[in-house]
Each structure stands twice: as C-alpha cells, then as structure tokens.
Amino acid sequence: MKKLLMTISLALLMGQAFANVILVKESDPVEGDTITRVADIEEIVVVATPKENTRLRQQTLSSSSFSNAEIRARGVTSIKSFSTQVPNLYIPTYGSKLTTSTYIRGIGSRINTPAVGLYVDNIPYLNKNAFDFNFSEIDRVDVLRGPQGTLYGRNTMGGLIRVYTKSPFDYQGTDLQLSAATHNAYKASVTHYHRISDQFAFSGGFYFDHLGGFYKNVAKNNEHVDKSNEYGGRIRAIYLPTDNTKLDFNINYEYLTQGAYPYQYMGSTNGVEPFPQYIGKVAYNRDGKYKRHLLNTGLNVEHQANRFIFNSVTGFQFVKDDMKMDQDYTPLDIFTLNQKQNSKTLSQEFVFKSKPGSRWEWTTGLSGFYQWLKTDAPMAFCADGIKSLIEDHVNNVFIRLRQQNERMPEMSLDVTDDLINIPGIFDTPTANVAIYHQSTINDLGVKGLSLTLGARLEYEKLWIDYNSSAPMTFDFNMPMLERMPQMADMVAQLKGIGISPAFNGKLNSDNWEFLPKVALKYDFNNRNNIYFSVSKGYRSGGYNFQMFSDLIQSKMSADMTAAINEKSGGRMTQMGGDAFAERTVEYDVEGTVAFKPERSWNFELGSHFTTNDGSLMADLALFIINTNDQQLAQFASNGLGRITVNAGKSRSYGAEASLRWQATKALSFTANYGYTHATFRTDVPLNTTSAGSGNVSLKGKYVPFVPNHTLMLGGQYVFELNEGSFVDNIVLNVDYRGTGKIYWDVQNMYSQKFYGTLNARLAFLHKGSELALWANNIFNADYDAFFFESMSNKFRQRGTPVQLGVDLRLRF
C-alpha cells in the first residue's frame, strides 16, 4: 500500500509538470501527409464514432491514438505491432494468426473469448481468430485502456482497440505500396480512391503478403515452418443522400495459408533427456499449418437530427479456418489435432446520442448479435501415442495390481489399431442483447466539473451440442490362460475387442450482466483535465471442447474393463477382483467442460495535460483492478490440448505515462511507460501439468502473460530540404521497445526477463510518395515470445530476429 500511495503522489506531481505532443502530418487530399506540424491527432484526423460525444483526451479514460502517418513511421503491420508501443499493452507474436492473445493492465486471454475488444469501422470483431488481419490502408487506430463495458459490453474488460480505414472522401487517387525484406518477405497493395461527386465516393484495393519464414524444422528436412501467403481486398463506398444523412458500406475479404507453431524443444523436466540433439531447435514430425477465409462487411448509417444523432451499425463476419497441429511438438508420433471452425456472426446496434457541446451529453443504445459456430476438432493418437498414452498406461496399472496381489494373473493389453481417431463435432451458438445509457452533466455546480453516469444491462445465452467418440480395437492377453487348451475359446474371445466410448448431448447456459460506470472530471481548460472513474467489466464464459478428450479417456478405461469382463463371461471379475468388477460411472459433463464468466472492477485516476505552447503533452493514469473468477489457459491434465479454467480472484494495480515533446521544429521525442503488478489474491486449488503437478496454491503468484513493465522510447528528426530538391523531407525514426518481466505459468517457475529491441526507419518523402529503409530488432535480441510445458517437455517460440527491409509508396 505504501508503494501504491507513493506512486499516486509521484504521478500527480508529474501531471502538473508534463504534457504530451503528437507529431502528425498535415492532411492533404491530393499529396497527403508530407508536411509535418505539431497538433493533436483528433484536430487533424476527424473520425465519426457512434457512441462518444467528445474527443478521446477529453474523456474519462486512458487512450492512445495513431494516425496513418504514425502507423507507417512506426512500422505497424498488424494489431500485434502495437504491443509495447502503448503503455501496458502486450500482444505476443507466436503460434499462428489463429492466436492473438491481447493483454492490457493484467487483463487478457490466450484462448476462447478475448478480454480486449476490437472494432473495425465500428463493426465488432468477436473472435480472436479474426484479430490479426491485413493492415493495408488503415487511417487511424485508437487504443482505449480499462473496462469499456458500459458502451461496448462483453469482452472489453481489459480495453478496446478501434481501427478505421481510409475514407474515399478524404483521400483521392491511387496508392501503390511495395515492400521487400529479409527472410523472403514481400508485400504489395494497390488501392484506388475516387470521389465521383459531393454525394458519393468509393475505394477499392487488393493486397498480397508473402513470408518465407524465420524458423526451420530440423526434423522435416530443414523446411521453414512459418512461411505464409495472404491475399485479399477491401471495398468501401460512402453515399450522402442528404446533407444530414450518411451511408457507409465496407467489405473486406482475406485468404491466408500459413505454416505455424515454430515451437523449439527446450528439454525435458523429468530427469531423462530423450532428444539432446534437438534442444533449442524446432523438431516435430508432422506439419503445423493454419488456413483461414475471413470476410467482414458492414453498413453504418448516420442521421443528424435537430437535437440528436442517430447511428445504425450492421455487421456480418464469416470466418472459416483449418488448423493442423502436431500437438506433442516432438519427433515422436504421439498425437495430432485438426481443428476446423465455421463461424458466422450477425450484429446490429442502434445508437442515439446528443449533439456535442451541450451541458447534458448523453448516449443511449440497443445492441445484439447472434453467432453460429461449428467446430470440427478430431484428435488422433498415432503409433507412439497409442503405446505411451494407452498401452503403457493400462499395462502399468496391471503391474501395480500384481504387486498389490500376488495371486493376480499376468495381464497385458495390445492396441491393434495403427491410428485412433477421436472425432469431435461441437455446435456452440451464442445470442446476446444489451441496452445501455450514459449521461455526462457538464459544469456541475462549478465551471469545468463534470459527472458521468452510465449503465448497461446485457443478456447472453450459450448452447453446446456435442458429439465426441473414440472407437478402438485391442487384444487382452493372459499368458496363463493361453497355456491352457481348455481356455482356447475364452482366449479367442479376448482378441480383437472393440469399444467406442462416446459422449453425445446438449447443454446451455445464460447470464445477465449489469455494467455500471461513474466518473468525475475537472477541466482546468479545454486542454487540461483530471478525472477519477469506477467501472465494471466482464468476459463471457463458455465451454472447453478439448475437455471431452479427458472425458473420453476416462470412459475408455471403464469401457475396456467392462468389455473384457463381458467377453470373458464374467470370469475376469472372479480372477481380477475389483479391477474388473462391474460398476456404474457417472460423468459430470457440464461441470467438466464449462467455465464461468470473468468479472472485474476498475478504479482509475488520470489526467491529460498540454502546455500553453502545445510543445508538450502528457497522459497519466493510476489504476487498481479487482478480478473475480479469473480465466486462465492451461493444458488439460492429460496434456491433450489447452483449456480455460476459473482461478479465483486477482488484483492488478499500476501506472501509465505517455509523454511527447516537440523539442524543435524538426526534432521530437516520445516516451510511453506502463507498470502492472498483477497477482492472485486467493488460495485456489488449480490442477496443472507443470512440474510438481497437482493442486497448487496461487495466492501471491503473478498472473502469467502479464509484463511488469512496458516501455517505448522514440525520437523523430525531419530534414527539410530546399525547394526544388528531389525529395521534400527526409524523416528518421528510431525507437526502443522493451517489456518484461513476464511469467509463463501460474506457479511462476518459468519467466522472461526484461528485454528490448532497437528499431529504425529512414524515409524519403516527395509529394505523397515515399521510399523507406527500415530495420527491426537491430541487435538481434534473443527473447521468448511464448513458453510452455507439455507432457514433461519444455517449449518456446523465439522472438522475431533481426529483419531489414525497404518500403516504396507511390501516390498517383
């Protein structure tokens, strides 16, 4: 508590002394982004948001905004590129584009539903497998930190990322972009913007992205394991039928094929090292691949009435993907997973809000969505898996029985299948509806003092229709019987025994959530303010598909003993005792596969300050977040896939500072820092497959995947050349991005210490065109982007190594 009070006091003192400046390019519809000047992004880039009445830095929240010029200058190519460029934002790059684990202030998600929301052109993206999309022709990105549940609802308890594409009314002509980089990375995009009249404009473009790969699989002829190809296109059309009505339509389609999961083997945890020659290398025998079709389309309708603004936002998203994974990640042929998802989401939102500038500003909305999601996720036990996970497991049980009872006959089991498929088909639709209102009363008794009150009532219903089975054939061997000719019939009956444990059924659950917000703000003037807010957020619950493998494995054991006893005519009960006794096993399917929603309360004290001359601006915040039923991703107890579990309570507190300083007309500096201390608060037993497995106490342990520190230090220098020169400006950007310490597991046994990467970009600008040379991770820092343990083996994905490239942008 003393540390927290000292941090609060220090931040308040800093808030009186510092401010933040944003270097942007002056918008020009023809040449565009060539003249630098100091301004607030929101003064230059005007973006209509359906729900807010005021600019971000006038709201009671912490946020960061990036213009198109900044996105290019910082080398942003995806959502993941913003990691550590925003205080307390961490999005590790690992696995595949199926995986976009986003963390803000200690709140995040590795699998299942996200904890940070994403909106693109006001359309919600509900599934994380759609988050990592192509970033060509993006105009602006806002990152809102802290719960945004009152206005945005479920799965925004950590924050919200809003992405806006370029408007054909603001940009004209054709934009061609080409890029080449080391590791056989090539990109190309072309987009045409055409304004037909003052009432109608449209844009259309195509893009291609190829990566040769960073990592090689030494177990498969040194093939690059992470090569990828991506194709797509985007169309946007805006129609203004009247002076006060706008229709904004957009559609985007992407097709991706990607090698994936370049996980390096890092040794065994059980004292026996089976693959010393592969330590530090990617070495598995089956392919890891990911394929995705992604279609997003939406229609935004805005009508300006005399006293209010009405918005209707309709969205549709289609995601069809296919993941193939060697799930043991070793040269052994143990087991694989092939997951196919087919998702269709229809969303609709109606928003009414007051005109800006009034004493009473308000927003009222009604939203809802329905999602159809079908998952086909068959697992397969291969030869090594059949032996180690089934045969050896059962035969070890028989050995222990003989050790306990000397009269027990010798027994063994041989699986006769070369491959055991465990099909799993799951239909999991979701329905959601919400109503919300937020009001702000300005000049509340004192000029500059405002009070914001908001509330959202949300209802969600989930269903699951499951069908999973595991047909298997095996021989049961008893040498004692095989030596008795009179038992030949029984011995024959115990050969080729077939079982097919299965689970088929339906479950459903529903949930009501009330999400309030209260905030006080004092404006010293139109540039400087201080605020305090209290808000609630939640992340929806759901069902763990891969827990059915646990249930199947348990039922497989019971069905084996029942089948052996039946084929022996009940004699095995007499000979083997309780091991083969007939018994009824009840399976709690819902209790095994379901996980509960996660909820949090966020307390935040923050400020936005700007110096009188506008050369320095600062955004500062302190926060405390109390979370209940924390959702964590871990491996299932049998090692067969990842699941989500609820792990009691956690608390996260910390601070954020964003500073930018325009030192001279040509030189500017940027500093972003975030500190998060996220730990579990309760002694909650949690089953884990880490070393020392069993029930572990989490109290006082750090929440995994949450960096203690995020840091970005950057500088920009603009060389303005004489008129008549071949180029107008030369712009040099250099930045250092650091993050850590990061714990990878709930027991805090494995961690990544603080690390940083140095990056640079040199751009030559001329009338909207640009040639840029860039380098990422210049000193080739070696760090872990991901680390985990599975089946007594350790694995990591190394962070992206040094990469050099060149970008060319032409405007016609």
Side-chain angles (χ1 to χ4, degrees):
M1 181 60 71
K2 290 182 179 179
K3 290 183 178 179
L4 179 61
L5 292 175
M6 292 176 64
T7 305
I8 293 174
S9 301
L10 178 60
L12 289 176
L13 290 173
M14 290 175 63
Q16 299 296 324
F18 293 104
N20 178 1
V21 81
I22 297 179
L23 179 67
V24 301
K25 311 294 184 178
E26 186 171 308
S27 180
D28 187 301
V30 178
E31 298 181 354
D33 301 347
T34 59
I35 303 172
T36 60
R37 71 181 182 90
V38 176
D40 188 324
I41 284 178
E42 291 183 300
E43 292 178 351
I44 299 300
V45 183
V46 179
V47 175
T49 58
K51 301 179 182 182
E52 287 82 8
N53 286 285
T54 57
R55 294 163 47 202
L56 278 174
R57 297 190 73 252
Q58 294 175 333
Q59 297 177 34
T60 55
L61 54 82
S62 298
S63 62
S64 300
S65 294
F66 301 86
S67 68
N68 174 264
E70 280 197 301
I71 290 171
R72 295 200 315 275
R74 292 174 179 237
V76 172
T77 58
S78 71
I79 288 289
K80 294 176 179 177
S81 300
F82 287 106
S83 184
T84 72
Q85 297 200 49
V86 174
N88 284 325
L89 173 66
Y90 178 59
I91 314 176
T93 300
Y94 71 94
S96 70
K97 287 200 172 187
L98 171 70
T99 307
T100 305
S101 304
T102 308
Y103 292 79
I104 295 179
R105 296 180 172 179
I107 304 296
S109 168
R110 270 181 55 202
I111 61 174
N112 293 321
T113 55
V116 176
L118 172 66
Y119 277 62
V120 180
D121 287 332
N122 302 319
I123 306 298
Y125 282 31
L126 300 179
N127 292 342
K128 291 200 285 86
N129 61 344
F131 275 30
D132 194 356
F133 63 96
N134 188 279
F135 237 55
S136 63
E137 297 306 309
I138 300 301
D139 190 41
R140 170 175 165 163
V141 175
D142 299 331
V143 181
L144 284 60
R145 302 185 291 277
Q148 307 299 319
T150 302
L151 292 182
Y152 293 93
R154 70 196 292 272
N155 301 343
T156 59
M157 62 182 296
L160 179 71
I161 300 174
R162 301 190 308 208
V163 179
Y164 301 95
T165 60
K166 290 183 178 180
S167 168
F169 271 102
D170 296 334
Y171 295 84
Q172 297 297 298
T174 301
D175 195 331
L176 173 65
Q177 299 188 52
L178 302 172
S179 177
T182 54
H183 301 280
N184 290 319
Y186 306 102
K187 297 181 182 180
S189 70
V190 58
T191 305
H192 180 69
Y193 301 87
H194 192 67
R195 182 171 180 170
I196 294 178
S197 68
D198 291 340
Q199 291 183 297
F200 184 74
F202 73 93
S203 63
F206 302 92
Y207 45 81
F208 167 72
D209 191 341
H210 170 78
L211 175 64
F214 295 102
Y215 316 96
K216 292 182 178 180
N217 187 347
V218 299
K220 286 184 68 68
N221 300 319
N222 279 322
E223 296 176 357
H224 278 100
V225 70
D226 59 329
K227 56 187 176 184
S228 66
N229 287 291
E230 186 176 36
Y231 314 83
R234 179 179 288 115
I235 296 174
R236 186 175 182 186
I238 300 178
Y239 176 51
L240 309 175
T242 65
D243 291 341
N244 57 357
T245 303
K246 179 175 74 172
L247 282 72
D248 188 346
F249 170 80
N250 63 78
I251 184 170
N252 178 49
Y253 171 75
E254 295 181 17
Y255 175 68
L256 165 76
T257 59
Q258 180 183 23
Y261 316 108
Y263 300 146
Q264 297 177 351
Y265 175 75
M266 299 304 293
S268 172
T269 63
N270 59 12
V272 179
E273 185 51 68
F275 313 111
Q277 71 275 29
Y278 291 134
I279 292 179
K281 300 176 181 178
V282 179
Y284 51 81
N285 63 302
R286 291 181 179 262
D287 288 332
K289 294 183 177 180
Y290 182 63
K291 180 171 67 176
R292 182 184 69 187
H293 297 269
L294 174 61
L295 173 69
N296 293 283
T297 183
L299 175 63
N300 289 259
V301 180
E302 178 182 303
H303 179 72
Q304 300 263 355
N306 291 332
R307 297 184 179 180
F308 64 87
I309 302 171
F310 168 75
N311 281 273
S312 169
V313 183
T314 307
F316 177 76
Q317 183 176 85
F318 170 72
V319 184
K320 183 179 180 181
D321 64 4
D322 185 352
M323 175 190 70
K324 292 181 174 66
M325 180 187 290
D326 183 337
Q327 206 161 350
D328 57 272
Y329 317 111
T330 70
L332 296 177
D333 207 15
I334 298 178
F335 64 103
T336 65
L337 173 66
N338 181 196
Q339 176 181 286
K340 299 179 181 180
Q341 295 184 106
N342 190 313
S343 171
K344 295 178 283 292
T345 305
L346 180 64
S347 62
Q348 177 62 57
E349 186 159 17
F350 300 106
V351 185
F352 296 85
K353 70 176 182 180
S354 62
K355 291 290 186 75
S358 60
R359 186 168 181 264
W360 175 34
E361 297 176 336
W362 53 268
T363 300
T364 296
L366 175 68
S367 69
F369 73 84
Y370 189 88
Q371 182 179 78
W372 298 262
L373 176 60
K374 183 176 182 178
T375 304
D376 185 359
M379 295 183 61
F381 285 95
C382 306
D384 294 325
I386 291 172
K387 183 180 185 306
S388 62
L389 298 177
I390 300 178
E391 289 182 348
D392 290 352
H393 173 75
V394 174
N395 291 331
N396 286 334
V397 172
F398 290 157
I399 292 172
R400 287 195 299 269
L401 289 173
R402 290 198 69 201
Q403 292 172 344
Q404 297 168 5
N405 183 359
E406 294 180 357
R407 300 178 61 185
M408 181 75 68
E410 183 181 352
M411 298 172 289
S412 66
L413 179 141
D414 291 325
V415 176
T416 58
D417 298 303
D418 296 328
L419 187 73
I420 298 177
N421 286 304
I422 305 179
I425 299 176
F426 310 98
D427 282 313
T428 53
T430 303
N432 179 287
V433 64
I435 186 171
Y436 57 89
H437 177 84
Q438 181 169 293
S439 283
T440 299
I441 308 298
N442 296 309
D443 297 332
L444 188 66
V446 178
K447 183 176 177 56
L449 181 65
S450 64
L451 171 67
T452 297
L453 297 173
R456 183 187 189 96
L457 183 62
E458 185 160 305
Y459 174 76
E460 182 162 301
K461 188 172 182 66
L462 302 94
W463 296 265
I464 181 171
D465 186 340
Y466 55 89
N467 185 348
S468 183
S469 61
M472 185 185 74
T473 306
F474 64 92
D475 293 340
F476 182 70
N477 308 308
M478 291 188 66
M480 180 185 71
L481 295 180
E482 293 169 3
R483 292 192 292 266
M484 301 178 183
Q486 68 272 26
M487 303 300 293
D489 290 343
M490 179 177 171
V491 170
Q493 287 290 321
L494 295 175
K495 304 297 183 182
I497 300 175
I499 61 172
S500 185
F503 286 91
N504 302 283
K506 298 181 180 181
L507 297 171
N508 67 80
S509 62
D510 61 358
N511 182 63
W512 286 93
E513 286 294 334
F514 179 67
L515 302 172
K517 176 179 180 178
V518 180
L520 275 173
K521 183 181 64 141
Y522 182 74
D523 291 315
F524 300 101
N525 51 48
N526 62 354
R527 287 187 168 190
N528 302 296
N529 59 63
I530 189 169
Y531 66 87
F532 177 75
S533 67
V534 180
S535 55
K536 182 184 178 184
Y538 95 102
R539 180 153 64 110
S540 59
Y543 300 104
N544 288 302
F545 302 150
Q546 297 200 25
M547 281 307 294
F548 281 95
S549 63
D550 244 10
L551 292 168
I552 286 289
Q553 198 169 32
S554 176
K555 196 171 191 301
M556 183 185 292
S557 177
D559 287 2
M560 279 181 180
T561 57
I564 292 170
N565 195 42
E566 178 186 355
K567 294 296 184 180
S568 68
R571 295 180 187 180
M572 290 308 304
T573 301
Q574 301 171 7
M575 301 174 66
D578 292 341
F580 294 93
E582 184 176 349
R583 61 186 184 273
T584 301
V585 181
E586 294 184 0
Y587 299 93
D588 182 9
V589 176
E590 184 170 14
T592 302
V593 304
F595 57 92
K596 298 182 291 186
E598 177 181 346
R599 301 174 176 88
S600 70
W601 282 96
N602 183 84
F603 304 86
E604 181 174 335
L605 175 65
S607 60
H608 307 290
F609 290 98
T610 307
T611 56
N612 291 334
D613 62 357
S615 64
L616 189 67
M617 295 169 59
D619 296 314
L620 307 168
L622 301 169
F623 62 87
I624 299 176
I625 303 175
N626 292 324
T627 304
N628 294 320
D629 292 320
Q630 176 100 36
Q631 294 178 11
L632 288 178
Q634 67 169 103
F635 277 91
S637 58
N638 59 8
L640 305 181
R642 298 177 181 88
I643 60 172
T644 296
V645 297
N646 295 105
K649 299 179 180 180
S650 69
R651 171 172 291 165
S652 175
Y653 65 82
E656 297 166 352
S658 295
L659 307 173
R660 280 183 164 180
W661 175 38
Q662 188 71 36
T664 68
K665 182 181 178 181
L667 180 64
S668 63
F669 296 99
T670 303
N672 293 316
Y673 172 71
Y675 170 73
T676 299
H677 184 275
T679 56
F680 295 103
R681 298 172 56 200
T682 53
D683 290 319
V684 178
L686 183 67
N687 190 40
T688 176
T689 58
S690 298
S693 62
N695 289 334
V696 299
S697 172
L698 299 183
K699 188 174 183 179
K701 301 289 187 180
Y702 285 92
V703 177
F705 271 76
V706 177
N708 294 135
H709 308 274
T710 61
L711 174 68
M712 199 277 272
L713 301 173
Q716 182 183 79
Y717 192 86
V718 180
F719 300 87
E720 293 194 17
L721 303 184
N722 296 327
E723 187 175 350
S725 300
F726 181 72
V727 295
D728 300 325
N729 300 310
I730 300 176
V731 182
L732 173 65
N733 284 273
V734 179
D735 68 64
Y736 173 86
R737 305 170 194 174
T739 186
K741 184 175 186 179
I742 306 168
Y743 291 94
W744 300 116
D745 64 310
V746 294
Q747 293 175 289
N748 295 174
M749 296 176 59
Y750 307 114
S751 62
Q752 167 63 57
K753 64 182 181 181
F754 185 90
Y755 67 91
T757 63
L758 184 67
N759 315 280
R761 189 174 190 269
L762 181 66
F764 302 87
L765 303 158
H766 178 66
K767 294 183 178 180
S769 296
E770 177 180 328
L771 175 67
L773 307 175
W774 54 268
N776 291 333
N777 194 5
I778 293 173
F779 296 114
N780 202 29
D782 186 10
Y783 62 93
D784 290 345
F786 182 45
F787 188 98
F788 65 97
E789 181 187 326
S790 176
M791 300 179 67
S792 300
N793 293 317
K794 297 177 292 184
F795 301 91
R796 79 158 184 171
Q797 180 167 335
R798 181 175 179 250
T800 305
V802 59
Q803 188 176 26
L804 309 176
V806 56
D807 297 337
L808 175 64
R809 181 192 187 208
L810 300 175
R811 298 291 299 272
F812 303 101

